[in-house]
Amino acid sequence: TENPAGDARSIAAIYDEMKRRVVAEPGVKGATFAAQFPGALHPELSIEIEGMPSTSKEGLQLRAQRASVDPDFLSVMGVKPYIGRDFHSGDVNSDAGVVIVNESFARVLMGGRSPLGQRVRYLGYNPDDPQTVKPGPWYEIVGVVKDLTLGADHRIGGLNFSGKLQEQPGIY
């Protein structure tokens, strides 16, 4: 039988070795992984924020860009949350997913409320019934960073770390 957890550990070990080798090169200060390059087009997904309407005043579905990143992504990129905290190693094996959002997400989608401790989830396509969406798991917002260039339109966005990057690189 297949052992997905064993495969994920093997893939994680390969990524760790790649990072170790890159960082060992002269002049390299850090290495990290992300499913998309900063500045590349990132998928914009429908979202739901717990306890808030899932549509805007205009009746539009709330949406945000998503970037799947390694837990050390922000620190390697020299970015520090100005509210809350960065990702840490305990987030990797935790059942409770966490996200860090950008300031535009906090300002536009949270309407001035503090995003820390709030929960957000992505609403995805339901293959069993294409007319409906299947909500994903809840993620707790643990930090806020300045807007990063995630794509051509980065006014609303966030960074997501779910521990799945090493299992499915390039999948959002």
Side-chain angles (χ1 to χ4, degrees), residues 47-103:
I47 62 165
E48 177 181 14
I49 301 169
E50 190 173 47
M52 294 182 68
S54 60
T55 57
S56 68
K57 290 182 264 184
E58 297 80 23
L60 300 173
Q61 177 66 51
L62 298 181
R63 299 179 67 79
Q65 292 180 344
R66 176 180 174 181
S68 295
V69 300
D70 249 7
D72 63 356
F73 178 82
L74 292 172
S75 61
V76 169
M77 299 298 288
V79 176
K80 293 182 181 179
Y82 68 90
I83 300 173
R85 67 171 177 87
D86 198 344
F87 298 121
H88 58 66
S89 60
D91 294 329
V92 175
N93 296 317
S94 172
D95 289 336
V98 298
V99 293
I100 294 173
V101 299
N102 69 12
E103 62 187 339

Side-chain angles (χ1 to χ4, degrees), residues 5-37:
D7 291 344
R9 282 192 296 272
S10 297
I11 292 169
I14 291 168
Y15 279 106
D16 289 342
E17 177 62 14
M18 287 172 37
K19 283 170 75 171
R20 186 192 67 73
R21 289 181 182 189
V22 169
V23 171
E25 291 295 316
V28 175
K29 294 181 180 179
T32 190
F33 288 99
Q36 299 280 120
F37 290 114

Side-chain angles (χ1 to χ4, degrees), residues 101-113:
V101 299
N102 69 12
E103 62 187 339
S104 290
F105 181 104
R107 183 181 63 256
V108 175
L109 297 180
M110 298 301 299
R113 293 177 30 196

